Amino acid sequence: MTAPTLFGERPPAPGRPGLAAQLLRRKPIGQLVSEAETGHDGTRLVRSFGVLQLTMISVGATLGTGILVILGESVPLAGPAIWISFAIAGLAALLSAVSYAEMAGMVPAAGSSYSYTYATMGEGMAWICGWCLVLEYAVSVAAVAVGAGQYVNEALAVFGLALPDAMSQPPGAGGLLNLPAIVIVVLAMVLLVRGAKESAWINTAIVVVKVGILLFFCAVAFTAFNGGHFEPLMPMGAAGVSAAASRVFFSYIGFDAASTAGEEARNPKRDLPRAILLSMLIVTSIYVLVAVAAVGARPWGWFDGTEAALVKILEEITGQPWVGLVFAVGAVLAIASIVLTVLYGQTRILLSMSRDGLVPKVFGRVSARTGTPVAGTLIVGTAVALTAGLVPLGALADATSIGTLFAFALVNVAVIYLRRTRPELTRSFRVPLFPLTPVLGALMCAYLMANLGAETWAVFGVWMLVGVSAYFGYGRNNSRVATLSHEEYRELSSSQPGNNTTTQELKAEIR
């Protein structure tokens, strides 16, 4: 009987670690870097992204969700101080973003925070992080796609048409199926199967349109600005602002999508940190500006229960239906770019987990023709499309936020750990004000998690229980790091990134 290992198929090593040792066994950073450079099982992802494409992936995955989809649900919580909620959530995301930048420059692998956690805290925490990322990416794609139905109907309303609720709302929200959400996910899935480079250029074009329509909204909304709408600033108190910040954190979850492109960037150690930080600056500035413009144009109570709020504000201010049509079409494109880039990130996370043997190897198969994980993309895309068509938005958004916050907290801890234990590693970017910045980042993530409701925590708990069952049912028995003998593990752990020792050379030495 044979077992998969980092070196191919061979009999299980007699020194296989026990459960506790396996959960703590870390994946050597040298092996992570080697896999990123040489690929796996004879195939590798294609390096075609520069800093522009990486930044646009991050902006495309981030910009728009909170403003275009959940603004109507968030303003009633914070009142006119919604812009402060966006700033708080943005600060928490920024603190985590600088930690991501350091890790991405040091370990430019496709697995994002899953890979970082595996290299620092071991297989147990890596599995938990990866399972949270499955929740973050797949569910956030579905949550954003759900909002497409609102904007499709706003566009159709200009012509006196509308999709029936049965086709534009999921069960529990007055309908049977959210058809626009399914269509957008399927189109993104097809585009990703064709190739990452083509998807990145289309995403860049859509991001330009998305930024344009949001700036256009601000220009129109400020013509009807009323400073009185900001009094009182916090009608629900500080607790309301904090609760809204926890919810709108959902709006920032895409910035780490750039880090999942570590194996497709031409110069990842230089460009990934730049892309992550630049995207955070762009997104946070636009979110706060749009929030101020929206509340300045309409009193905060007006947003309660309002869908596609920005389109309605434009129509009421201008009295021109075509303005709403242009914005609604732009919003559908914006949602499409989020779906495209986040779905891209999800497939790369599963690719990394598959390489390590923690999920079925079908997710790690890279097509020699397209240079993309075709089978994994089709499986994930189909599951996400069904979720988007059948599950309401609110439950999806909050469940996504808690998984994201947990993963971000782990990345902050990973930076602290590696600074203490591996100070000799080359870092193309270093977190400023260490260790204060990552400590604050982890604490802010914990604070925002604490502000989420009991129902969200219950969903998260159930998701974690399912994850534990999946690990013991599959991952523990198929882990490639666990099947290494003690000698092999020591050899790989002692290798340093960039020391010109390849996996094949290590294999020859060990044999």
Side-chain angles (χ1 to χ4, degrees), residues 38 61 164 188 198 224 295 315 318 367 390 397 402 489:
T38 63
E198 294 83 354
V295 176
E315 290 176 342
T318 64
S367 167
L390 299 173
I402 195 167
Y489 183 67

Side-chain angles (χ1 to χ4, degrees), residues 454-466:
E455 181 179 350
T456 302
W457 276 97
V459 170
F460 183 65
V462 171
W463 180 256
M464 286 294 102
L465 288 175
V466 173

Side-chain angles (χ1 to χ4, degrees), residues 22 70 339 349:
Q22 180 174 341
I70 63 172
V339 171
I349 296 292

